[in-house]
């Protein structure tokens, strides 16, 4: 136990906001994470030592800026084991990554009568882009339903596919139930069915090792800000032959080869998809975040998060009147616990916990169809990162245990 | 910045034991108010006779703040002329923006406990739901 | 003169990269600017004191993050004098802002046979989105030609409009010739013609006071990174009634009201156009940059840049074999000098200047149609910001004067 | 990081007074190479007889590096067997990536002056344009 506490301290010292604010138990990590010192330093260092518009300048500073930016791409490639940096497109966030695929791939290659399959547990960012793209081309949007544990079996998946299913979009880890989908198996089955497989990695890439070649997904989207990087930088991985055949999405500077008055040809991958001045400062931050992850290692990260998950499940499920969505096994939650307390509105729970310095989220978690499917309007969610501690779980549990009394229940 | 006492007895009591949360059989005005972003939902019913709010009630779902605020509002306005209710509502909404005097706050009676909601912007919509619904309803006249 | 030098020093002390690297004369400001200390501090401070996912959280930290983000919006509104913060949409950069209008407004409201009018001097980011949108709906793309001085007269503008012109997109200041277009007059004429007017403010907002209500433009796009803010944050101003009638562009979290399985309603302005987790760190940086601008004041900024422009014109035009694009009057250049030197390729000029620590750009400046129109493939560009100095102009001029000899000309 | 001597006499001389910049009337192989991003453009012509490059020339537009590099290349390969030219080209392209030995560099003769281009990534495409064009041309055989 002392080992764990020592490690807690070491890690927390890396995160200024956490370290300087012991009064806060930050448990809204599925929404966004805090940033380690070295990430903030890397961003600053970029602006103080290497800032220029990357990719075009012939002078030293611009060469340095380009190096920072392209080194970040290489680090990102290695982090998810993509075959080539050409397959790594920097975007603003996971939402933009998914929209890019929906505009550029889906609206180009889907036809009337085709079907898009998503699951009922998708985040709005992995739902609305497909709903709109399907509408635009006259395709159907199919939902794969799940039960309260959130589990999708191979059978369920096969049953949800039709011969018209040309695109499957699925999250690897649910931001509501924390359940992990067997993306590798589903991608294989989708491919056998002739469908392209889009994986929403917003909640998985920050928490488990993700290897796009092993999973064999066609696209993977994730956000830097949910994995210790600054806001404003996200990633789209796409298989090269797919990206190659897709038209550009955003048009402008940096993504062209030749521009004539009435036509244009476009730059090679990945630049074709990066219009306008790139976010090199954000990329520098993402690179540092990846290095932070690599130094700590997924062994440690997963062990800590799994431990916290088990511990939280134990503590939370002991509270009367609480109902936790998803699996009974804590380890299956990947740090995400969404729950209700009888008789207390989730917004009130979050507000009361705030008074104790415990930061959790309340609402629909950008998953309204899932909420409706689970027959609840709104819920409360605590979500952990590797820098959280048992002590914070205790604070959460104590606060929650007092909520009903504070609301006037005897 | 601690709002340690925000969920105080007055608030929780209005939420747990509301005086006006039922359907009003002889209401002559009814309006539903909704906060799309958080799902709060209130159906406000009033019985207005000769420019006076003779009775009022509400039903709905939502957080304690939205429900208690509606109950507190009804406590305040039942029996008052419509114009007076509008005036008080205007004061209440200004209070939420942090712009009233001590005297004005006293006029609001228990509703004054919601003053600190100004520091909780995400909850402002909850606190004003009932009041906005009433304003809309009375504007229909 | 001492006054100017003292001011130079004061200002340069605010910019770490410039202050710590006196060996560099950074003259590529039209591409991106350097960042003052207070901007870097504001970003860091956001992450150390207020970081959370804005807009949704009920806890204090998220409230603070929301405040930072929305305060930045209000500052931006005031900076360009928009009527309401609902008219300020945060994007990644000017390119994305323009794409937003092209996808959401142009593809919705333009019809076959309509015409889009742009000028030949547009940056690719204010050209390709319209070329593509026009193609998608069957509209025509018309170009307004300019002569070597870049001047567009009212007559020329009227002549270029047709009764089918439904959209005009024009830069306020050219990133190649530095010339300023009379956007106010052209917007009025465009409106009389029933067209919507899109103003590309990427090169104007950082250099002259821009008042969207006075100009009466319908949309204005600009980038933070060209005005001392970090990369990854840009702005789209749009008139409220136009934005209101436009469909969303990117879909996802934060931009919705209700999501049902087969339909959705969208959040109010401006959130309808901001899908996914917002870039609050970037907004904090933009806010600080605006404050920096306000503290310095456009009086000072314009005076300094105009002075540098006149001085540069004097020095550069004295160099033999040089040809400067655009007006003969230095003050008309807004700090932007694009030129060629007989017998030396622009890339070689930039590379030779780099050896002297003078950072300038060479290439097509993302304006290939203009280059072709001006019968040159590629040019060299030096561009100044308010923190540049006479001394840097001297260094530029000296380096340039030596280029031909270094290339072996006698 | 100063590359003070990059535009040295050898480079500028090949650019200003190229030995091989003209049209080759009896060429039996011709190929145009283009760098879209910077507009460099080279038309390379070779006369290959019995596997030996008997003569070569180029025309084109572009920066000093692209033009001088092509001229230097032709100095090196004219009179050599095709296989030898390919071998030298492979060494040259490896040099640009910073991966050759001193002995190999000596084989490149004057082309060795372009070694430092490795530190100027934006110019690599200029330096290799002529060489890539030659490789493509010889691969056609
Ligand atoms: C006139 C003009 N418009 C648009 C842009 C595009 O800006 P960004 O690359 O920041 O999207 C630029 C900058 O390169 C510009 O100079
Ligand atoms: C599962 C899932 N997908 C997508 C997103 C969207 O990420 P972002 O808001 O960074 O675009 C989120 C985060 O909210 C998420 O949890």
């Amino acid at each position: 136990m002392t080992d764990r506490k020592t490690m807690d301290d070491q890690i927390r010292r890396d995160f200024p906001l956490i370290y300087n604010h012991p009064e806060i138990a930050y448990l809204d990590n599925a929404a966004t994470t805090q940033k380690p010192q070295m990430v903030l330093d890397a961003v600053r260092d970029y602006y103080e030592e290497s800032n220029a518009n990357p990719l075009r300048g012939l002078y030293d500073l611009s060469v340095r800026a380009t190096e920072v930016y392209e080194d970040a791409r290489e680090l990102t490639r290695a982090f998810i084991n993509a075959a080539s940096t050409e397959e790594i497109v920097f975007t603003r966030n996971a939402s933009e990554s998914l929209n890019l695929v929906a505009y550029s791939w889906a609206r180009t290659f889907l036809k009337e009568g085709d079907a898009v399959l998503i699951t009922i547990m998708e985040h709005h960012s992995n739902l609305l882009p497909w709903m709109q793209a399907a509408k635009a081309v006259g395709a159907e949007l199919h939902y794969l339903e799940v039960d309260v544990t959130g589990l999708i079996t191979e059978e369920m998946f096969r049953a949800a596919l039709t011969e018209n299913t040309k695109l499957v979009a699925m999250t690897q880890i649910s931001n509501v139930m924390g359940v992990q989908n067997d993306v590798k198996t589903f991608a294989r089955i989708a491919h056998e069915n002739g469908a392209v497989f889009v994986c929403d990695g917003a909640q998985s890439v920050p928490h488990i090792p993700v290897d796009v070649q092993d999973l064999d997904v066609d696209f993977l989207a994730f956000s830097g800000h949910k994995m210790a990087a600054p806001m404003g930088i996200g990633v789209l991985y796409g298989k090269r032959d797919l990206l190659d055949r897709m038209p550009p999405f955003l048009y402008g500077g940096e993504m062209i080869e030749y521009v004539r008055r009435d036509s244009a040809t476009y730059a090679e991958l990945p630049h074709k998809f990066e219009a306008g001045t790139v976010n090199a400062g954000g990329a520098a931050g993402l690179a540092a975040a990846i290095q932070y992850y690599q130094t700590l290692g997924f062994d440690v990260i997963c062990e800590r998060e799994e431990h916290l998950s088990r511990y939280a499940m134990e503590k939370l499920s002991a509270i009367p009147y609480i109902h936790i969505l998803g699996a009974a096994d804590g380890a299956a939650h990947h740090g995400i616990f969404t729950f209700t307390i009888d008789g207390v509105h989730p917004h009130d729970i979050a507000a009361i916990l705030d008074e104790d310095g415990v930061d959790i989220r309340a609402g629909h978690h950008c998953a309204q169809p899932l909420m409706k499917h689970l027959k609840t309007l709104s819920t409360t969610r605590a979500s952990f990162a590797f820098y959280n501690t048992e002590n914070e779980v205790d604070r959460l549990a104590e606060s929650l245990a007092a909520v009903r009394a504070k609301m006037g229940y005897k | 910045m601690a709002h340690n006492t925000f969920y105080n007895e007055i608030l929780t009591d209005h939420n747990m034991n509301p005086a006006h949360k039922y359907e009003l059989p002889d209401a002559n005005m009814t309006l539903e108010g909704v906060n799309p972003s958080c799902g709060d939902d209130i159906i406000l019913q009033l019985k207005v006779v000769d420019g006076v709010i003779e009775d009022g009630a509400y039903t709905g779902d939502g957080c304690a703040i939205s429900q208690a605020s509606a109950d507190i509002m009804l406590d305040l306005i039942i029996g008052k002329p419509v114009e007076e209710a509008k005036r008080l509502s205007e004061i209440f909404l200004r209070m939420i923006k942090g712009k009233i005097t001590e005297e004005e706050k006293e006029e609001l009676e228990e509703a004054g406990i919601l003053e600190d909601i100004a520091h909780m912007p995400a909850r402002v919509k909850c606190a004003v739901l009932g009041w906005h619904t009433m304003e809309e309803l009375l504007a229909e006249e």
Side-chain angles (χ1 to χ4, degrees), chain A residues 16-17 21 26 28 31-35 37 40-41 44 46-54 56-61 91-93 95-96 99 103 120 123-125 128-129 131-132 135 141 143 145 225 230-232 249-253 256-264 266 275-281 347 350 354 359-362 366 368-369 373:
Chain A
L17 189 143
H21 294 283
Y26 182 74
D28 193 14
T32 198
T33 60
Q34 299 305 331
K35 319 303 173 198
Q37 186 85 32
L40 303 180
D41 287 347
R44 180 160 210 133
Y46 166 76
Y47 286 116
E48 293 192 349
E49 295 297 332
S50 310
N51 178 57
N53 203 315
R56 297 232 153 262
L58 295 171
Y59 50 87
D60 217 58
L61 207 54
T91 61
R92 181 175 45 209
N93 54 26
S95 300
E96 197 199 350
N99 276 277
Y103 271 99
I120 192 74
H123 187 280
H124 293 158
S125 294
L128 290 167
M131 185 194 284
Q132 294 302 326
K135 266 190 198 150
L141 184 65
Y143 284 88
E145 318 283 333
H225 72 91
M231 292 160 153
F249 169 42
L250 300 178
Y251 294 85
I256 60 99
E257 189 181 64
Y258 286 116
V259 177
R260 299 191 194 79
R261 286 184 177 220
D262 287 303
S263 67
Y266 300 105
T277 301
V278 301
N279 184 357
H347 286 184
D354 178 41
D359 294 357
I360 62 171
R361 172 135 312 198
C366 299
Q368 288 183 351
H373 179 70

Side-chain angles (χ1 to χ4, degrees), chain A residues 284-352:
Chain A
L286 177 62
I290 289 175
Q291 284 170 324
Y292 189 89
Y293 265 72
Q294 285 169 337
T295 307
L296 204 55
F298 267 115
D299 286 359
V300 172
I301 290 170
C302 292
E303 191 281 330
R304 289 180 61 87
E305 293 181 355
E306 204 179 305
H307 175 80
L308 283 171
S309 292
R310 286 188 206 281
Y311 189 72
M313 183 53 103
E314 187 191 319
K315 292 285 169 174
L316 294 186
S317 52
I319 299 169
Y321 303 102
I322 204 167
H323 306 278
I324 298 170
L325 297 188
D329 174 15
H333 277 263
H334 299 91
I336 293 176
F337 292 86
T338 301
F339 53 88
T340 55
I341 292 180
D342 292 338
V344 188
H345 192 281
H347 286 184
D348 295 320
I349 300 176
I352 291 172

Side-chain angles (χ1 to χ4, degrees), chain B residues 5-18:
Chain B
T5 52
F6 192 77
Y7 283 83
N8 59 25
E9 235 183 284
I10 302 177
L11 183 81
T12 56
D13 202 47
H14 276 283
N15 179 48
M16 297 283 288
N17 312 302

Side-chain angles (χ1 to χ4, degrees), chain A residues 345-351 362-363 378, chain B residues 6-7 11 15 33-42 58 61-73 92-93 96 114 117-118 120-134:
Chain A
H345 192 281
H347 286 184
D348 295 320
I349 300 176
S378 157
Chain B
F6 192 77
Y7 283 83
L11 183 81
N15 179 48
V34 178
N35 270 344
S37 60
C38 57
D40 291 343
D41 176 31
I42 280 205
Y58 74 104
D61 278 317
C63 66
I65 295 176
S66 69
Q67 306 300 303
S69 181
D71 203 56
I72 290 170
M73 174 185 82
F92 180 83
L93 296 173
I96 300 296
L114 289 163
I117 210 90
M120 305 161 71
R123 309 306 296 282
V124 164
K125 281 190 181 178
C126 315
V128 301
L129 179 61
W131 301 76
H132 271 311
T133 311
M134 177 178 78

